mmCIF file of all heavy atoms in Angstrom:
data_model
loop_
_atom_site.group_PDB
_atom_site.id
_atom_site.type_symbol
_atom_site.label_atom_id
_atom_site.label_comp_id
_atom_site.label_asym_id
_atom_site.label_seq_id
_atom_site.Cartn_x
_atom_site.Cartn_y
_atom_site.Cartn_z
ATOM 1 N N TYR L 256 -29.916 -15.520 229.515
ATOM 2 C CA TYR L 256 -28.963 -16.491 228.962
ATOM 3 C C TYR L 256 -29.396 -17.948 229.138
ATOM 4 O O TYR L 256 -29.055 -18.794 228.374
ATOM 5 C CB TYR L 256 -27.592 -16.293 229.616
ATOM 6 C CG TYR L 256 -27.684 -16.147 231.106
ATOM 7 C CD1 TYR L 256 -27.595 -17.271 231.922
ATOM 8 C CD2 TYR L 256 -27.908 -14.899 231.697
ATOM 9 C CE1 TYR L 256 -27.728 -17.145 233.274
ATOM 10 C CE2 TYR L 256 -28.037 -14.774 233.049
ATOM 11 C CZ TYR L 256 -27.953 -15.898 233.842
ATOM 12 O OH TYR L 256 -28.087 -15.792 235.175
ATOM 13 N N ARG L 263 -35.299 -25.877 225.098
ATOM 14 C CA ARG L 263 -34.667 -27.051 224.529
ATOM 15 C C ARG L 263 -35.246 -28.327 225.151
ATOM 16 O O ARG L 263 -35.596 -29.269 224.460
ATOM 17 C CB ARG L 263 -33.172 -26.987 224.828
ATOM 18 C CG ARG L 263 -32.347 -27.749 223.858
ATOM 19 C CD ARG L 263 -30.927 -27.834 224.304
ATOM 20 N NE ARG L 263 -30.420 -29.131 223.895
ATOM 21 C CZ ARG L 263 -30.148 -29.448 222.629
ATOM 22 N NH1 ARG L 263 -30.329 -28.564 221.684
ATOM 23 N NH2 ARG L 263 -29.704 -30.640 222.326
ATOM 24 N N ALA L 337 -33.465 -60.997 224.570
ATOM 25 C CA ALA L 337 -34.433 -60.613 225.599
ATOM 26 C C ALA L 337 -35.726 -60.139 224.941
ATOM 27 O O ALA L 337 -36.823 -60.366 225.438
ATOM 28 C CB ALA L 337 -33.849 -59.525 226.494
ATOM 29 N N LYS L 340 -37.667 -63.135 223.747
ATOM 30 C CA LYS L 340 -38.379 -63.751 224.858
ATOM 31 C C LYS L 340 -39.619 -62.932 225.226
ATOM 32 O O LYS L 340 -40.699 -63.489 225.433
ATOM 33 C CB LYS L 340 -37.442 -63.871 226.060
ATOM 34 C CG LYS L 340 -38.117 -64.503 227.249
ATOM 35 C CD LYS L 340 -37.179 -64.775 228.410
ATOM 36 C CE LYS L 340 -37.964 -65.289 229.613
ATOM 37 N NZ LYS L 340 -37.131 -65.690 230.722
ATOM 38 N N LYS L 428 1.317 -57.585 225.993
ATOM 39 C CA LYS L 428 -0.098 -57.557 226.358
ATOM 40 C C LYS L 428 -0.907 -58.475 225.471
ATOM 41 O O LYS L 428 -0.720 -58.507 224.261
ATOM 42 C CB LYS L 428 -0.629 -56.124 226.228
ATOM 43 C CG LYS L 428 -0.583 -55.355 227.530
ATOM 44 C CD LYS L 428 -1.461 -54.114 227.445
ATOM 45 C CE LYS L 428 -1.505 -53.395 228.791
ATOM 46 N NZ LYS L 428 -2.255 -52.155 228.726
ATOM 47 N N ARG L 470 -3.427 -63.436 233.790
ATOM 48 C CA ARG L 470 -4.462 -62.465 234.097
ATOM 49 C C ARG L 470 -3.971 -61.019 234.009
ATOM 50 O O ARG L 470 -4.611 -60.155 233.414
ATOM 51 C CB ARG L 470 -4.956 -62.755 235.506
ATOM 52 C CG ARG L 470 -6.219 -62.061 235.820
ATOM 53 C CD ARG L 470 -6.638 -62.363 237.250
ATOM 54 N NE ARG L 470 -7.849 -61.654 237.477
ATOM 55 C CZ ARG L 470 -9.022 -62.248 237.668
ATOM 56 N NH1 ARG L 470 -9.108 -63.540 237.737
ATOM 57 N NH2 ARG L 470 -10.092 -61.522 237.810
ATOM 58 N N TRP L 475 -9.080 -57.430 228.748
ATOM 59 C CA TRP L 475 -10.362 -58.018 228.363
ATOM 60 C C TRP L 475 -11.177 -56.937 227.664
ATOM 61 O O TRP L 475 -11.645 -56.002 228.294
ATOM 62 C CB TRP L 475 -11.099 -58.532 229.590
ATOM 63 C CG TRP L 475 -10.376 -59.658 230.258
ATOM 64 C CD1 TRP L 475 -9.514 -59.561 231.306
ATOM 65 C CD2 TRP L 475 -10.429 -61.047 229.924
ATOM 66 N NE1 TRP L 475 -9.031 -60.801 231.635
ATOM 67 C CE2 TRP L 475 -9.581 -61.735 230.812
ATOM 68 C CE3 TRP L 475 -11.126 -61.772 228.955
ATOM 69 C CZ2 TRP L 475 -9.405 -63.116 230.756
ATOM 70 C CZ3 TRP L 475 -10.933 -63.152 228.913
ATOM 71 C CH2 TRP L 475 -10.093 -63.804 229.802
ATOM 72 N N ALA L 477 -14.334 -55.226 225.798
ATOM 73 C CA ALA L 477 -15.764 -55.363 226.067
ATOM 74 C C ALA L 477 -16.485 -56.100 224.944
ATOM 75 O O ALA L 477 -17.455 -56.800 225.177
ATOM 76 C CB ALA L 477 -16.388 -53.992 226.282
ATOM 77 N N GLN L 484 -10.233 -52.394 217.799
ATOM 78 C CA GLN L 484 -9.626 -51.085 218.077
ATOM 79 C C GLN L 484 -8.268 -51.249 218.759
ATOM 80 O O GLN L 484 -7.292 -50.604 218.397
ATOM 81 C CB GLN L 484 -10.535 -50.288 219.015
ATOM 82 C CG GLN L 484 -11.756 -49.695 218.354
ATOM 83 C CD GLN L 484 -11.443 -48.373 217.700
ATOM 84 O OE1 GLN L 484 -10.525 -47.681 218.148
ATOM 85 N NE2 GLN L 484 -12.152 -48.022 216.656
ATOM 86 N N GLN L 490 -2.362 -51.640 220.754
ATOM 87 C CA GLN L 490 -2.341 -51.591 222.216
ATOM 88 C C GLN L 490 -2.076 -52.972 222.804
ATOM 89 O O GLN L 490 -1.784 -53.092 223.983
ATOM 90 C CB GLN L 490 -3.680 -51.079 222.745
ATOM 91 C CG GLN L 490 -4.109 -49.746 222.176
ATOM 92 C CD GLN L 490 -3.728 -48.596 223.071
ATOM 93 O OE1 GLN L 490 -3.906 -48.645 224.277
ATOM 94 N NE2 GLN L 490 -3.148 -47.565 222.497
ATOM 95 N N ASP L 605 -22.179 -67.608 235.010
ATOM 96 C CA ASP L 605 -22.111 -66.995 236.342
ATOM 97 C C ASP L 605 -20.737 -67.193 236.968
ATOM 98 O O ASP L 605 -20.161 -66.275 237.551
ATOM 99 C CB ASP L 605 -23.173 -67.615 237.259
ATOM 100 C CG ASP L 605 -24.538 -66.953 237.087
ATOM 101 O OD1 ASP L 605 -24.581 -65.897 236.412
ATOM 102 O OD2 ASP L 605 -25.532 -67.470 237.612
ATOM 103 N N ASN L 608 -18.200 -65.026 235.226
ATOM 104 C CA ASN L 608 -18.400 -63.628 235.585
ATOM 105 C C ASN L 608 -17.812 -63.317 236.963
ATOM 106 O O ASN L 608 -17.219 -62.268 237.183
ATOM 107 C CB ASN L 608 -19.902 -63.358 235.601
ATOM 108 C CG ASN L 608 -20.226 -61.986 235.128
ATOM 109 O OD1 ASN L 608 -19.340 -61.274 234.668
ATOM 110 N ND2 ASN L 608 -21.466 -61.597 235.251
ATOM 111 N N ARG L 609 -18.017 -64.270 237.869
ATOM 112 C CA ARG L 609 -17.482 -64.097 239.221
ATOM 113 C C ARG L 609 -15.966 -64.052 239.161
ATOM 114 O O ARG L 609 -15.335 -63.194 239.753
ATOM 115 C CB ARG L 609 -17.960 -65.282 240.082
ATOM 116 C CG ARG L 609 -17.909 -65.033 241.552
ATOM 117 C CD ARG L 609 -18.463 -66.222 242.315
ATOM 118 N NE ARG L 609 -19.744 -66.686 241.756
ATOM 119 C CZ ARG L 609 -20.049 -67.951 241.540
ATOM 120 N NH1 ARG L 609 -19.181 -68.909 241.827
ATOM 121 N NH2 ARG L 609 -21.227 -68.277 241.050
ATOM 122 N N ASN L 612 -14.684 -60.767 237.689
ATOM 123 C CA ASN L 612 -14.872 -59.560 238.488
ATOM 124 C C ASN L 612 -14.260 -59.635 239.880
ATOM 125 O O ASN L 612 -14.531 -58.785 240.716
ATOM 126 C CB ASN L 612 -16.362 -59.245 238.603
ATOM 127 C CG ASN L 612 -16.842 -58.474 237.393
ATOM 128 O OD1 ASN L 612 -16.625 -57.273 237.284
ATOM 129 N ND2 ASN L 612 -17.470 -59.160 236.462
ATOM 130 N N ASP F 194 -24.394 -64.982 245.163
ATOM 131 C CA ASP F 194 -23.705 -65.384 243.936
ATOM 132 C C ASP F 194 -22.259 -64.892 243.871
ATOM 133 O O ASP F 194 -21.527 -65.211 242.956
ATOM 134 C CB ASP F 194 -24.489 -64.944 242.693
ATOM 135 C CG ASP F 194 -24.502 -63.431 242.537
ATOM 136 O OD1 ASP F 194 -23.870 -62.734 243.344
ATOM 137 O OD2 ASP F 194 -25.154 -62.949 241.591
ATOM 138 N N ARG F 203 -18.848 -51.661 244.021
ATOM 139 C CA ARG F 203 -17.976 -50.961 243.079
ATOM 140 C C ARG F 203 -18.731 -49.813 242.410
ATOM 141 O O ARG F 203 -18.199 -48.709 242.236
ATOM 142 C CB ARG F 203 -17.478 -51.949 242.028
ATOM 143 C CG ARG F 203 -16.467 -51.355 241.084
ATOM 144 C CD ARG F 203 -16.169 -52.317 239.960
ATOM 145 N NE ARG F 203 -15.414 -53.471 240.411
ATOM 146 C CZ ARG F 203 -15.542 -54.681 239.875
ATOM 147 N NH1 ARG F 203 -16.362 -54.868 238.875
ATOM 148 N NH2 ARG F 203 -14.830 -55.697 240.326
ATOM 149 N N TRP F 246 -24.966 -31.879 224.320
ATOM 150 C CA TRP F 246 -25.261 -31.636 222.911
ATOM 151 C C TRP F 246 -24.497 -32.567 221.988
ATOM 152 O O TRP F 246 -24.636 -32.482 220.780
ATOM 153 C CB TRP F 246 -24.941 -30.172 222.553
ATOM 154 C CG TRP F 246 -25.769 -29.200 223.335
ATOM 155 C CD1 TRP F 246 -26.991 -29.446 223.888
ATOM 156 C CD2 TRP F 246 -25.438 -27.867 223.685
ATOM 157 N NE1 TRP F 246 -27.428 -28.347 224.551
ATOM 158 C CE2 TRP F 246 -26.503 -27.356 224.451
ATOM 159 C CE3 TRP F 246 -24.348 -27.044 223.415
ATOM 160 C CZ2 TRP F 246 -26.510 -26.064 224.963
ATOM 161 C CZ3 TRP F 246 -24.349 -25.759 223.906
ATOM 162 C CH2 TRP F 246 -25.430 -25.269 224.682
ATOM 163 N N TYR F 261 -6.607 -44.003 225.665
ATOM 164 C CA TYR F 261 -5.764 -45.125 225.261
ATOM 165 C C TYR F 261 -4.371 -45.021 225.866
ATOM 166 O O TYR F 261 -3.901 -43.940 226.217
ATOM 167 C CB TYR F 261 -5.603 -45.137 223.740
ATOM 168 C CG TYR F 261 -6.617 -45.977 223.021
ATOM 169 C CD1 TYR F 261 -6.949 -45.696 221.708
ATOM 170 C CD2 TYR F 261 -7.219 -47.050 223.639
ATOM 171 C CE1 TYR F 261 -7.875 -46.465 221.027
ATOM 172 C CE2 TYR F 261 -8.142 -47.827 222.972
ATOM 173 C CZ TYR F 261 -8.472 -47.531 221.674
ATOM 174 O OH TYR F 261 -9.375 -48.289 221.003
ATOM 175 N N ASP F 262 -3.689 -46.173 225.927
ATOM 176 C CA ASP F 262 -2.281 -46.157 226.328
ATOM 177 C C ASP F 262 -1.516 -45.265 225.341
ATOM 178 O O ASP F 262 -1.716 -45.368 224.135
ATOM 179 C CB ASP F 262 -1.711 -47.578 226.291
ATOM 180 C CG ASP F 262 -2.098 -48.342 227.547
ATOM 181 O OD1 ASP F 262 -2.797 -47.742 228.395
ATOM 182 O OD2 ASP F 262 -1.719 -49.501 227.682
ATOM 183 N N ALA F 360 -19.270 -49.653 229.649
ATOM 184 C CA ALA F 360 -19.204 -50.745 228.676
ATOM 185 C C ALA F 360 -18.145 -50.471 227.617
ATOM 186 O O ALA F 360 -17.468 -51.382 227.153
ATOM 187 C CB ALA F 360 -20.557 -50.965 228.016
ATOM 188 N N PRO F 365 -14.690 -55.495 231.081
ATOM 189 C CA PRO F 365 -15.635 -56.476 231.612
ATOM 190 C C PRO F 365 -15.174 -56.991 232.982
ATOM 191 O O PRO F 365 -15.959 -57.532 233.731
ATOM 192 C CB PRO F 365 -15.592 -57.603 230.577
ATOM 193 C CG PRO F 365 -14.971 -57.024 229.372
ATOM 194 C CD PRO F 365 -14.123 -55.878 229.798
ATOM 195 N N ARG F 366 -13.892 -56.814 233.264
ATOM 196 C CA ARG F 366 -13.379 -57.243 234.564
ATOM 197 C C ARG F 366 -13.838 -56.318 235.668
ATOM 198 O O ARG F 366 -13.753 -56.656 236.839
ATOM 199 C CB ARG F 366 -11.846 -57.243 234.547
ATOM 200 C CG ARG F 366 -11.256 -58.484 233.974
ATOM 201 C CD ARG F 366 -9.775 -58.519 234.208
ATOM 202 N NE ARG F 366 -9.464 -58.545 235.636
ATOM 203 C CZ ARG F 366 -8.245 -58.490 236.120
ATOM 204 N NH1 ARG F 366 -7.225 -58.405 235.305
ATOM 205 N NH2 ARG F 366 -8.023 -58.528 237.417
ATOM 206 N N SER F 368 -16.970 -54.626 235.861
ATOM 207 C CA SER F 368 -18.340 -54.296 235.484
ATOM 208 C C SER F 368 -18.967 -53.370 236.509
ATOM 209 O O SER F 368 -18.659 -53.439 237.693
ATOM 210 C CB SER F 368 -19.188 -55.560 235.429
ATOM 211 O OG SER F 368 -18.631 -56.493 234.577
ATOM 212 N N GLN F 376 -26.362 -58.133 231.172
ATOM 213 C CA GLN F 376 -25.996 -59.517 230.981
ATOM 214 C C GLN F 376 -27.123 -60.463 231.418
ATOM 215 O O GLN F 376 -27.436 -61.427 230.724
ATOM 216 C CB GLN F 376 -24.767 -59.791 231.827
ATOM 217 C CG GLN F 376 -23.809 -60.745 231.228
ATOM 218 C CD GLN F 376 -22.464 -60.632 231.918
ATOM 219 O OE1 GLN F 376 -22.370 -60.337 233.104
ATOM 220 N NE2 GLN F 376 -21.414 -60.861 231.171
ATOM 221 N N ARG F 377 -27.709 -60.163 232.578
ATOM 222 C CA ARG F 377 -28.815 -61.000 233.084
ATOM 223 C C ARG F 377 -29.965 -61.027 232.083
ATOM 224 O O ARG F 377 -30.564 -62.067 231.851
ATOM 225 C CB ARG F 377 -29.351 -60.451 234.405
ATOM 226 C CG ARG F 377 -28.505 -60.703 235.580
ATOM 227 C CD ARG F 377 -29.177 -61.559 236.654
ATOM 228 N NE ARG F 377 -28.167 -62.341 237.335
ATOM 229 C CZ ARG F 377 -27.935 -63.635 237.131
ATOM 230 N NH1 ARG F 377 -28.684 -64.318 236.341
ATOM 231 N NH2 ARG F 377 -26.967 -64.256 237.756
ATOM 232 N N LEU F 382 -31.276 -64.356 229.772
ATOM 233 C CA LEU F 382 -32.737 -64.279 229.648
ATOM 234 C C LEU F 382 -33.405 -64.524 231.001
ATOM 235 O O LEU F 382 -34.488 -65.086 231.093
ATOM 236 C CB LEU F 382 -33.261 -65.281 228.616
ATOM 237 C CG LEU F 382 -32.698 -65.133 227.208
ATOM 238 C CD1 LEU F 382 -33.342 -66.135 226.277
ATOM 239 C CD2 LEU F 382 -32.929 -63.732 226.686
ATOM 240 N N PHE F 384 -35.169 -62.937 233.392
ATOM 241 C CA PHE F 384 -35.915 -61.705 233.666
ATOM 242 C C PHE F 384 -36.211 -61.567 235.152
ATOM 243 O O PHE F 384 -36.215 -60.461 235.699
ATOM 244 C CB PHE F 384 -37.223 -61.688 232.868
ATOM 245 C CG PHE F 384 -37.029 -61.486 231.380
ATOM 246 C CD1 PHE F 384 -35.759 -61.463 230.834
ATOM 247 C CD2 PHE F 384 -38.118 -61.305 230.542
ATOM 248 C CE1 PHE F 384 -35.577 -61.281 229.478
ATOM 249 C CE2 PHE F 384 -37.946 -61.113 229.167
ATOM 250 C CZ PHE F 384 -36.676 -61.108 228.639
ATOM 251 N N ARG F 426 -35.863 -16.100 234.742
ATOM 252 C CA ARG F 426 -34.859 -15.560 233.838
ATOM 253 C C ARG F 426 -35.339 -15.570 232.405
ATOM 254 O O ARG F 426 -35.819 -16.530 231.933
ATOM 255 C CB ARG F 426 -33.580 -16.389 233.960
ATOM 256 C CG ARG F 426 -33.000 -16.262 235.335
ATOM 257 C CD ARG F 426 -32.059 -17.410 235.633
ATOM 258 N NE ARG F 426 -31.946 -17.643 237.053
ATOM 259 C CZ ARG F 426 -31.025 -17.057 237.816
ATOM 260 N NH1 ARG F 426 -30.176 -16.221 237.296
ATOM 261 N NH2 ARG F 426 -30.974 -17.328 239.083
#
Side-chain angles (χ1 to χ4, degrees):
Chain L
Y256 46 91
R263 205 189 145 72
K340 180 174 175 175
K428 266 196 176 176
R470 194 181 180 113
W475 295 95
Q484 284 276 332
Q490 305 264 315
D605 276 349
N608 215 7
R609 200 177 313 135
N612 276 281
Chain F
D194 68 3
R203 185 188 290 148
W246 298 335
Y261 268 154
D262 279 0
R366 276 190 62 185
S368 304
Q376 215 163 32
R377 285 242 149 257
L382 302 183
F384 289 6
R426 296 160 205 269

